[in-house]
Amino acid sequence: MSTCTTVARDLDEPVSGTAATATTWLLLEQPGPWGAKALTESHLDRRLGRALEKAAQGTGVRVALIRRPGRHADFGTPPLRQVFAAHTVPGGVWLRSAATQDPERLLDLDLAALGRGDHRTFDTVLGARAHTGDPLALVCTNGKRDRCCALLGRPLAAELTASDVPGVWEVTHLGGHRFSPTVLVLPYGYAYGRAEAHTVKNVLHAAQEGRIVVDGCRGCSAWERPGQAAELAVRTAVHEYAAEALGVVRTAGEAPRWEVTVAHTDGRRWQVVVAQSNPLPARPESCGASVLGTPARMDVVEVRELATAGAALAS
């Protein structure tokens, strides 16, 4: 059976620079079935879902639903729902957790502030605290959005749970169905494609130690897609895997070519040339899509270290 996932794998489509973008993730536990547009097509009150979608627009916050892995994970609405917020911009990364009986309280949050990395209203409104547990592994299982997410994501979430891997949740749409199973790891916000249980375990172990695994990585959600590809290219070039060591400080240009400046906390900087291309044949970008597409890929053309002020003076 041909699916969007098998076609992308057969074409060896690269995963770098394909992660969803969000400076901050807001996650609400919602058991039961999810429709293609889960915030308004689930057992969550539709009015609340629409209000959250509207409130998040333009803030950098991405709202998603999560549920415990299991058969439809539908055990009735829990008296207390888990809520997480995670800010993924290096230098200001945090993960906060709370529980609430009333998801309507999320409407009292200042999502613009949350997107900037200010979690004060999240703390005061929901009584949140710093998450002290293991990193979170969010496995996309939204089969109504794309069948590959159910066919491949749900078995992965189940396998991880059966192996007693902590911090595993099913999550709604993460984008990039053709790279299923897709996984987002918090707090650092790096997404992975074509994930397998052993690779997720390695990624979580690294995240626990404040490190990033580059293999299979789609990028950090804090950056737009050219920045995602550029940052991963620098990591690979200089073997830098500390989670918050690198940041994208400037992106110049527009499609199909950008010059991205990536900075290290030690003062080093690199200029990375990223080119957008569509070299692969047209095909459905998701299962069930009636229109053929040619997904853009981010190709790193050049990685060049820039001279630092100290080095220039010494020369």
Side-chain angles (χ1 to χ4, degrees):
M1 178 179 65
S2 178
T3 64
C4 65
T5 301
T6 58
V7 172
R9 190 183 293 272
D10 289 344
L11 293 172
D12 197 25
E13 184 178 353
V15 302
S16 176
T18 66
T21 56
T23 55
T24 302
W25 292 83
L26 178 61
L27 310 169
L28 171 65
E29 183 178 2
Q30 177 57 60
W34 298 330
K37 299 180 179 178
L39 280 178
T40 55
E41 297 175 357
S42 68
H43 289 175
L44 182 70
D45 182 83
R46 184 170 296 182
R47 180 192 58 81
L48 172 59
R50 283 196 297 265
L52 287 171
E53 283 183 335
K54 183 177 180 180
Q57 291 176 359
T59 65
V61 175
R62 184 160 175 145
V63 184
L65 303 181
I66 57 174
R67 63 189 177 193
R68 304 283 185 180
R71 184 174 175 80
H72 298 297
D74 192 359
F75 307 110
T77 302
L80 279 176
R81 302 183 194 218
Q82 189 68 47
V83 187
F84 295 101
H87 189 62
T88 63
V89 178
V93 168
W94 47 255
L95 175 59
R96 315 286 291 180
S97 63
T100 184
Q101 294 178 317
D102 181 12
E104 295 272 347
R105 301 201 68 188
L106 271 65
L107 295 178
D108 296 327
L109 299 177
D110 184 341
L111 295 191
L114 208 60
R116 295 191 301 268
D118 182 349
H119 54 72
R120 285 177 293 182
T121 62
F122 187 76
D123 293 351
T124 55
V125 170
L126 297 173
R129 298 176 180 273
H131 177 71
T132 56
D134 294 277
L136 304 184
L138 308 174
V139 182
C140 181
T141 61
N142 194 351
K144 292 294 185 182
R145 189 75 180 231
D146 190 283
R147 62 179 175 174
C148 286
C149 298
L151 293 173
L152 301 173
R154 295 191 66 187
L156 174 62
E159 182 178 354
L160 291 169
T161 302
S163 300
D164 295 322
V165 176
V168 177
W169 293 82
E170 296 184 9
V171 68
T172 51
H173 184 52
L174 291 178
H177 332 282
R178 63 193 184 280
F179 303 121
S180 296
T182 60
V183 181
L184 175 70
V185 177
L186 297 175
Y188 299 113
Y190 284 80
Y192 293 83
R194 302 180 182 132
E196 298 179 4
H198 71 278
T199 59
V200 175
K201 292 175 184 178
N202 290 339
V203 168
L204 289 172
H205 178 71
Q208 185 75 54
E209 297 182 343
R211 294 183 293 106
I212 299 302
V213 173
V214 171
D215 290 345
C217 190
R218 300 175 61 197
C220 176
S221 73
W223 317 125
E224 297 295 328
R225 291 181 177 179
Q228 294 174 10
E231 188 234 25
L232 289 176
V234 172
R235 285 191 180 278
T236 300
V238 302
H239 308 290
E240 177 56 80
Y241 306 115
E244 296 189 75
L246 298 179
V248 174
V249 297
R250 182 173 180 268
T251 301
E254 57 185 24
R257 188 180 178 89
W258 299 267
E259 291 185 352
V260 181
T261 304
V262 177
H264 196 290
T265 52
D266 66 9
R268 286 179 292 165
R269 292 192 171 212
W270 296 263
Q271 185 175 80
V272 184
V273 178
V274 180
Q276 177 179 300
S277 66
N278 303 78
L280 299 177
R283 78 277 192 192
E285 293 186 47
S286 62
C287 294
S290 57
V291 179
L292 299 182
T294 52
R297 57 186 275 178
M298 297 294 157
D299 295 313
V300 173
V301 176
E302 179 186 8
V303 177
R304 178 168 60 89
E305 186 170 357
L306 301 174
T308 62
L313 290 173
S315 60

